Amino acid sequence: MNTLAQGSVEGGNPLVNIGIFALFVIITLVIVFRASKNTKTASDYYAAGRSFSGPQNGTAIAGDYLSAASFLGIAGAIAVYGYDGFLYSIGFLVAWLVALLLVAELLRNTGKFTMGDVLAFRMRQRPVRAAAATSTLAVSFFYLLAQMAGAGGLVSLLLGVEGDLGQSIVIAVVGIVMIIYVLVGGMKGTTWVQIIKAGLLIAGTAVMTVWVLGKYGLNLSELLGSASQAAGGGDALLNPGEKYGESSTTQLDFLSLGIALVLGTAGLPHVLMRFYTVPTSKEARRSVVWAISWIGLFYLFTLVLGYGAAALVGTETINNAPGGENAAAPLLALELGGPVLLGFIAAVAFATILAVVAGLTITASASFAHDVYANVIKKGNVDSKTTEVKVARITACVIGAVAIIGGILAKEQNVAFLVALAFAVAASANLPTILYSLFWKRFNTRGALWSIYGGLTTTLVLIVFSPAVSGSDSAMIPGADFAWFPLSNPGLVSIPLSFLLGVIGTLTSKEHLEEKHKEMEVRSLTGAGAEKATAH
């Protein structure tokens, strides 16, 4: 670590970083408080009164989706592994085609606020809502854990806060600000935070991309050649196989991860809930097109930033930095624009974490309050204007507290593993039931329950007994070895199994719901009877 301080990036100014981040928090809190004036009913709190246009919601979806793992992790993976790192970008982007073609419009037409609404439309309400809420809370918890753990790592890297206590305090601060966003602004305030954060992130990465290309005469080939030279003169960064080409097991692991990323996006609850914030199904479609545009542009930027970091900073320096691969983008910012640009990128990274955890928290609290409390416990006899929203806010506080504690306990864990786990659970537990509900008329309650609980259980069991938890150099529990499942990501097994369990559960049940499916099909395709925007 000859060029880097032990705790933070050498040459960075923690006061500048904190100052820019504090400015972002103050501006967004003002916006959240203004948005809170119109948050009165459940529709306002959960779906922002369905008042956002397609472009606005698409930008917010991009803000929700481009997490700290996307920004720091993918740029770092490209810098260190080259071609293999860029495959993450492709997986994350292709995933949106599944959401656009199969899910967005039909979900918007069929549901009201949550995934449980879609399943309960044609099945027995209480069991499927409880199952949908269980999987939603599981995905949200793992994703929250990843973001909060990432906050701890970012702190030591960008602000020079060392030691467990310092990192724990900052994780707690992130959690408290996030709870304020959700409590005060609801979905409307959270959406505006996402839009601002997406704008800052894309603007910041665009500036760095043009800056890097400018150093090579706007010639991408020159940049790739320079990165290749800096990495030792070979073509390792330009050819596949640097990270996943060692053996058939690692190649299968990458295939498993790719399947989980591509199919998991369309099952992520905080992404699905965004489709309900627009007034019509047409706007839901438009929002996904806008999201794909912003996300695709961002991932093209990460290609330049990753190879730019390899060329200008060097893979050895990146690997030796606090945070390892995650340090690539901040180190490149420091190399290009000194402490000021590093401060801006640091603030954007923190804003990214804040915005994503706020979106996850409102989704989890909505699922509990709307599905479990209002429809399972109270059997639908609840005042959505007061009681249900009050329960959602209390739940948000509880989830926020759990996220803070979990983030503090998990701050030493592998963030990428936690994110991959969330995607695997979403793809295994959520997506099969959503697709079967929308497209298979024979599908019934038992099929939904077997698919959700079976997919969730299988994913968790395979993860626990995988090399990600024990038996490898980067395992969560170093020194222990109780792994019998060879793949770090279980998607290759758990996703097909969940689809199969849905079929077996359905065919072994005597319940027939074809008539209800006809009604659902008309509604999902035409929008007839779908929840309309609330006038203020």
Side-chain angles (χ1 to χ4, degrees), residues 253-292:
D253 212 353
F254 179 69
L255 178 63
S256 187
L257 174 66
I259 291 172
L261 294 182
V262 169
L263 297 180
T265 298
L268 288 174
H270 64 294
V271 170
L272 297 178
M273 196 166 170
R274 287 238 145 264
F275 299 140
Y276 299 124
T277 64
V278 290
T280 64
S281 58
K282 180 186 175 185
E283 291 298 310
R285 270 200 319 278
R286 283 184 74 204
S287 64
V288 178
V289 172
W290 274 82
I292 289 175

Side-chain angles (χ1 to χ4, degrees), residues 207-243:
V207 168
M208 287 175 66
T209 299
V210 173
W211 202 327
V212 168
L213 286 174
K215 287 182 173 287
Y216 296 93
L218 299 180
N219 188 326
L220 185 61
S221 295
E222 287 282 327
L223 169 61
L224 296 178
S226 179
S228 197
Q229 286 293 115
D235 289 336
L237 285 185
L238 305 181
N239 293 326
E242 179 72 6
K243 181 174 174 65

Side-chain angles (χ1 to χ4, degrees), residues 517-533:
H517 176 262
K518 290 176 185 175
E519 184 186 338
M520 183 176 184
E521 190 173 37
V522 170
R523 179 157 160 176
S524 66
L525 293 173
T526 65
E531 185 93 359
K532 293 291 186 283

Side-chain angles (χ1 to χ4, degrees), residues 6 11 15 92 100 118 203 273 310 331 341 349 360 368 401 419 446 496:
Q6 179 65 36
L15 290 177
F92 278 125
L100 172 63
V118 179
M273 196 166 170
L331 286 170
L341 185 58
L360 285 163
F368 180 83
V419 171
R446 182 186 289 178

Side-chain angles (χ1 to χ4, degrees), residues 114-126:
T114 66
M115 186 180 85
D117 288 330
V118 179
L119 302 183
F121 190 91
R122 51 177 289 212
M123 293 172 204
R124 296 203 307 276
Q125 285 239 1
R126 297 178 76 188

